[in-house]
Amino acid sequence: PWDEVRCGKCLSTENEDKMILCDMCDAGYHLECAEPKLKKIPEGDWFCDDCHRMISCETKRRKKKAVMAEDRNF
């Protein structure tokens, strides 16, 4: 069925109770398939490795722009 969540790493649809969904892209991962591996579902937002990298890159880009803008003001 289309409503089954497939793990982004092992591609299994089994053990949905041990899966976590990325808060950004809704990709599902078993706790043991997540990077890094998780022992339990964390509190708050959780992002898959791809989305975490994208967020990190965007944060670095924003910081760099802020530093460059600050340098221009001197």
Side-chain angles (χ1 to χ4, degrees), residues 35-46:
E35 292 292 333
K37 291 182 182 182
L38 301 170
K39 293 183 180 186
K40 64 179 186 170
I41 294 177
E43 292 184 28
D45 291 341
W46 178 83

Side-chain angles (χ1 to χ4, degrees), residues 5 16-17 24 41 43:
V5 177
E16 282 188 32
D17 59 320
M24 183 175 263
I41 294 177
E43 292 184 28

Side-chain angles (χ1 to χ4, degrees), residues 12 21 25 35 42 65:
S12 172
L21 297 178
C25 71
E35 292 292 333
K65 283 183 179 180

Side-chain angles (χ1 to χ4, degrees), residues 3-16:
D3 60 345
E4 289 182 336
V5 177
R6 185 171 302 278
C7 176
K9 184 174 182 181
C10 72
L11 305 180
S12 172
T13 58
E14 297 182 15
N15 299 320
E16 282 188 32

Side-chain angles (χ1 to χ4, degrees), residues 37-61:
K37 291 182 182 182
L38 301 170
K39 293 183 180 186
K40 64 179 186 170
I41 294 177
E43 292 184 28
D45 291 341
W46 178 83
F47 302 103
C48 69
D49 201 36
D50 290 338
C51 290
H52 192 288
R53 265 194 303 274
M54 187 170 50
I55 292 167
S56 294
C57 288
E58 181 61 30
T59 301
K60 287 177 186 174
R61 199 171 16 253

